[in-house]
Amino acid sequence: MRIVKKKIVDGISRDACIDNSGKCFLVFALAWSLAMAFLLGWGLWPELSGAHGRGLTESQVHFWRWAVSLGVIWLFVLFCTNLAIRKVASGVHALRRASRDLVTSEQECSRREVLFESIYNAITDAVVFTDKNRRIVMVNPAFVGLTGFSPSEVSGRPLDVLFAGSAAPSDSRIRSHLHLGVREMLCCRKDGFSVLTESFGSHVQNRDGENIGFLLVLRDISRCRAAAEERARIEGKLRQSCKMEALGTLAGGIAHDFNNILGIIFINTEVAMSMIDEKNPVRKNVERIETASRRARDLVQQILEYSRQPENTLAALMPGALVKESLQFLRAGAPAGIVVDHYVNDGFRSVMMDPSQVRELLVNLFSNAVQAVNGLGKIEVKATVITLEDDAVNHRPTIPAGTYFRVLVRDSGTGPAALEQVPDPFFSTREAGDDGGMGLVSAQGIVRNHGGFITVDSEPGAGTAVRVYFPVVEEEEGEAGENFEGLRGTEHVLFVDDEEMLVEMLCKFLRDQGFTVTEQTESRTALDLFKADPAAFDIIVTDQTMPGMTGSELAVEALRIRPDVPIILLSGHSRKISREEVLELGIMDFLHKPFDGKALVRTIRNVLDHDLS
């Protein structure tokens, strides 16, 4: 704009110089015309008149003198006037051209100004422009949204208004920051809160290279940082989940071999006990070995239950042993300041339940009680069989009369402030940031799947009591007292397992019960033996995990040869094959390792008797 104006002024000045020279020329031409007129009219005319103008009067001579002089002057005046008019017209044209250029330049400057303002306002990052003294000159709308300050509130104020408070950087730090690249800093909002920003600054120079101010750009990264932290947290959980899955797979693989070892211990223990008199003091040592083996078996089974995916299958179980082993596991992880008082008596009654879900239920209830006492207090767990009569049901209208296996978990905590909100999945009595679950919603779902009921009683300062009711299965007469002597047999058993010691001990136990046993440690050899004489065997008992051919593959091939042959599958890791898959293959029954000889004989006898019926 200044350049355009300078050109216009220079053009007008040059035109003005041209007009001045024209005026000088006009004066010179007028003086010259007067001199010529005087010379012609008054100097040369007498000679001409004397030579050619004789016979004219004096007045005529004067007349022609003035006429010639005025004519010459008039001609020179016309010539000079034309010249002056052309000069003036040229100046006017130059002035009009300069005026058009000025208008065009102003329009271009206005268009550029609107474009700059549109781009400046469209920037999503906060932009701050300051003068040389670090005083704010202008800000964009994104700055208003980030800080809450309006342009009028910060205009003319020093830059450190954005960094007010104890964490405000000094002027030297701001100066050094403006010279550096991208950095993170806390920006102060109008409401007093701070927001984490990513910022960078640079000098602003004019055409002559002179610093006229500074430009500071601020980008809000608080949400990005929170999203990154959330993503890192989810990735951590995913990695932990993968580790747990890998640990479960490893546990299953180890459990297979460990169960074989436990099976050998079980069989040898049973054989030793059958050979030792009850009065012999060594028998107590053997009984301790059996007890320790059963505890090891339960521990392995518990690890497998926690590592495998729940199948949500209900079976008739005696819940007392399940509650006891769960309490043993939970008490080991409870803080030392918590006293756990427990009493379990299932009365040898059965309950339809899923062990994995019931374990999850007990873990949730016990964990809630531990949180309630805050590491110091008492937790009471009682599991008993009770009968609710009609008068007792009146106090619990949602629970029908009947016999139930009731689990009571009572803590000595302060009790929830709002008992009616306990089942709400979004209600929690824990502080923000603490790990919280879904309250009792998951427990309610588990109990509902088992056809049971759950109640919560609490008073402020008196703790909380959670009662879970599982309906008891009514057993038929004669099922409780089973005589092992009636489980003997004379059938021919094909026993296949890759653990030689286990095969030796189990086959010896089966022979002691009257069975004829053919043992094999290789599945393909056992299949060839069965192909040679399929009718020679009454039942096949095979392990699942074996090299070369699995037990399920052996069962499929055997059923192709003889579709009516009864088969029992053994496995120490049920995660690889489920009971449903076993039944779909045509296998009659499924037995988990480790097991004792009585369990094997009982299973063989049940399958054979069922097949005969």
Side-chain angles (χ1 to χ4, degrees):
M1 188 67 183
R2 292 194 300 270
I3 296 176
V4 174
K5 289 183 178 180
K6 184 177 181 181
K7 290 182 178 180
I8 295 173
V9 172
D10 293 343
I12 295 175
S13 299
R14 287 195 299 270
D15 292 336
C17 293
I18 294 174
D19 291 341
N20 292 332
S21 62
K23 290 179 182 180
C24 294
F25 179 78
L26 182 61
V27 173
F28 173 76
L30 182 60
W32 185 80
S33 64
L34 290 175
M36 292 299 296
F38 177 77
L39 178 64
L40 293 175
W42 300 94
L44 298 178
W45 182 260
E47 297 179 1
L48 294 175
S49 60
H52 302 286
R54 294 180 180 88
L56 296 177
T57 62
E58 187 70 19
S59 61
Q60 289 178 340
V61 172
H62 285 289
F63 172 77
W64 284 109
R65 285 178 176 175
W66 286 106
V68 173
S69 299
L70 293 174
V72 174
I73 294 171
W74 179 252
L75 289 175
F76 277 99
V77 168
L78 289 178
F79 174 74
C80 293
T81 303
N82 184 34
L83 182 62
I85 290 174
R86 292 179 63 184
K87 294 293 184 181
V88 172
S90 177
V92 171
H93 179 70
L95 184 62
R96 289 179 177 176
R97 186 172 60 252
S99 177
R100 286 196 301 269
D101 293 342
L102 178 61
V103 172
T104 303
S105 299
E106 289 180 350
Q107 291 177 351
E108 180 67 17
C109 290
S110 177
R111 187 186 68 83
R112 289 178 177 273
E113 184 178 355
V114 172
L115 179 61
F116 169 77
E117 184 177 0
S118 300
I119 296 175
Y120 187 74
N121 293 335
I123 298 175
T124 56
D125 296 332
V127 180
V128 183
F129 176 68
T130 69
D131 57 13
K132 295 180 180 180
N133 299 322
R134 297 344 188 248
R135 293 190 174 274
I136 299 176
V137 176
M138 59 186 302
V139 296
N140 67 337
F143 173 85
V144 179
L146 177 65
T147 64
F149 291 105
S150 63
S152 59
E153 291 175 333
V154 296
S155 179
R157 300 182 64 180
L159 185 62
D160 58 5
V161 69
L162 303 179
F163 313 103
S166 58
S170 61
D171 183 68
S172 60
R173 289 181 59 189
I174 295 177
R175 289 175 181 268
S176 63
H177 170 74
L178 293 175
H179 289 276
L180 297 175
V182 179
R183 292 182 59 183
E184 292 183 0
M185 62 186 344
L186 288 175
C187 179
C188 183
R189 291 176 48 87
K190 182 180 179 180
D191 54 12
F193 293 96
S194 297
V195 58
L196 182 64
T197 61
E198 185 180 69
S199 58
F200 63 91
S202 63
H203 292 282
V204 179
Q205 300 176 343
N206 58 13
R207 291 180 177 271
D208 299 331
E210 180 184 359
N211 291 333
I212 60 175
F214 296 94
L215 190 69
L216 181 64
V217 180
L218 304 172
R219 175 175 296 175
D220 184 4
I221 61 172
S222 56
R223 294 183 179 179
C224 296
R225 179 62 58 83
E229 293 176 354
E230 179 66 16
R231 183 168 56 252
R233 186 182 65 84
I234 294 175
E235 290 176 355
K237 286 189 174 181
L238 179 60
R239 286 192 295 268
Q240 184 66 20
S241 176
C242 293
K243 289 180 181 179
M244 294 301 296
E245 183 178 0
L247 181 61
T249 304
L250 178 63
I254 296 175
H256 173 73
D257 296 334
F258 194 67
N259 283 333
N260 288 335
I261 298 173
L262 289 177
I264 296 172
I265 296 175
F266 275 131
I267 300 303
N268 282 277
T269 303
E270 287 184 343
V271 173
M273 291 183 65
S274 63
M275 299 173 61
I276 299 175
D277 187 76
E278 294 183 358
K279 297 181 179 180
N280 194 328
V282 180
R283 185 179 180 88
K284 292 184 179 181
N285 296 329
V286 178
E287 290 177 351
R288 291 172 183 173
I289 294 175
E290 182 183 17
T291 302
S293 300
R294 294 186 183 278
R295 290 180 61 185
R297 179 195 62 184
D298 295 340
L299 179 60
V300 173
Q301 187 66 22
Q302 191 172 3
I303 293 175
L304 289 176
E305 289 293 338
Y306 278 106
S307 63
R308 71 167 61 103
Q309 294 294 332
E311 300 177 359
N312 296 331
T313 57
L314 302 181
L317 302 174
M318 291 186 179
L322 182 62
V323 175
K324 288 180 180 179
E325 72 176 22
S326 298
L327 281 176
Q328 183 180 3
F329 180 79
L330 294 172
R331 290 181 63 185
I338 297 179
V339 178
V340 180
D341 185 12
H342 68 281
Y343 174 77
V344 180
N345 183 9
D346 58 9
F348 300 100
R349 306 297 293 272
S350 298
V351 175
M352 296 296 295
M353 59 173 51
D354 180 0
S356 61
Q357 286 194 350
V358 174
R359 287 190 180 96
E360 180 183 354
L361 170 68
L362 295 175
V363 169
N364 288 338
L365 296 181
F366 193 84
S367 299
N368 289 340
V370 171
Q371 290 287 339
V373 299
N374 197 19
L376 184 63
K378 181 180 179 181
I379 298 177
E380 181 184 3
V381 179
K382 288 187 177 182
T384 57
V385 176
I386 64 171
T387 301
L388 294 181
E389 303 295 343
D390 293 336
D391 54 348
V393 174
N394 294 332
H395 301 284
R396 302 287 187 184
T398 58
I399 304 177
T403 304
Y404 295 91
F405 178 72
R406 186 185 69 181
V407 179
L408 167 65
V409 180
R410 179 185 289 115
D411 61 72
S412 60
T414 58
L419 187 60
E420 66 278 1
Q421 292 181 276
V422 169
D424 187 355
F426 301 102
F427 172 75
S428 178
T429 58
R430 303 178 186 177
E431 298 293 336
D434 290 347
D435 293 336
M438 292 288 289
L440 291 177
V441 175
S442 59
Q444 286 181 330
I446 293 174
V447 175
R448 191 180 300 113
N449 291 338
H450 288 75
F453 306 91
I454 184 170
T455 63
V456 182
D457 295 323
S458 178
E459 295 181 3
T464 303
V466 180
R467 294 175 175 86
V468 180
Y469 298 85
F470 294 101
V472 172
V473 177
E474 297 297 335
E475 297 181 353
E476 297 181 359
E477 295 183 1
E479 289 186 357
E482 183 180 26
N483 186 8
F484 181 73
E485 295 298 329
L487 298 179
R488 298 175 60 87
T490 58
E491 290 85 357
H492 191 179
V493 180
L494 176 59
F495 194 93
V496 186
D497 199 309
D498 59 338
E499 184 65 37
E500 295 183 1
M501 187 177 298
L502 182 64
V503 170
E504 179 183 354
M505 299 306 303
L506 286 177
C507 291
K508 182 180 183 303
F509 190 86
L510 291 176
R511 290 189 182 98
D512 292 342
Q513 303 303 319
F515 292 96
T516 302
V517 183
T518 301
E519 65 269 19
Q520 286 292 332
T521 57
E522 294 184 1
S523 54
R524 294 190 181 276
T525 305
L527 181 61
D528 295 337
L529 186 63
F530 183 77
K531 286 181 179 179
D533 190 4
F537 302 99
D538 298 306
I539 189 171
I540 298 176
V541 180
T542 176
D543 187 27
Q544 166 62 15
T545 306
M546 292 183 295
M549 177 183 291
T550 63
S552 57
E553 294 172 348
L554 174 62
V556 171
E557 295 297 329
L559 289 172
R560 288 178 182 176
I561 299 172
R562 179 184 162 189
D564 62 339
V565 59
I567 300 176
I568 298 175
L569 187 66
L570 312 177
S571 177
H573 186 21
S574 62
R575 192 175 185 178
K576 294 183 179 180
I577 186 169
S578 63
R579 180 177 294 274
E580 290 76 11
E581 295 173 344
V582 168
L583 296 179
E584 289 178 0
L585 293 176
I587 300 174
M588 298 295 293
D589 207 344
F590 184 77
L591 190 60
H592 288 285
K593 291 182 178 180
F595 51 82
D596 53 18
K598 295 179 181 179
L600 177 61
V601 173
R602 185 182 297 109
T603 304
I604 293 176
R605 188 74 269 161
N606 291 338
V607 171
L608 291 174
D609 294 343
H610 175 77
D611 185 61
L612 292 175
S613 62

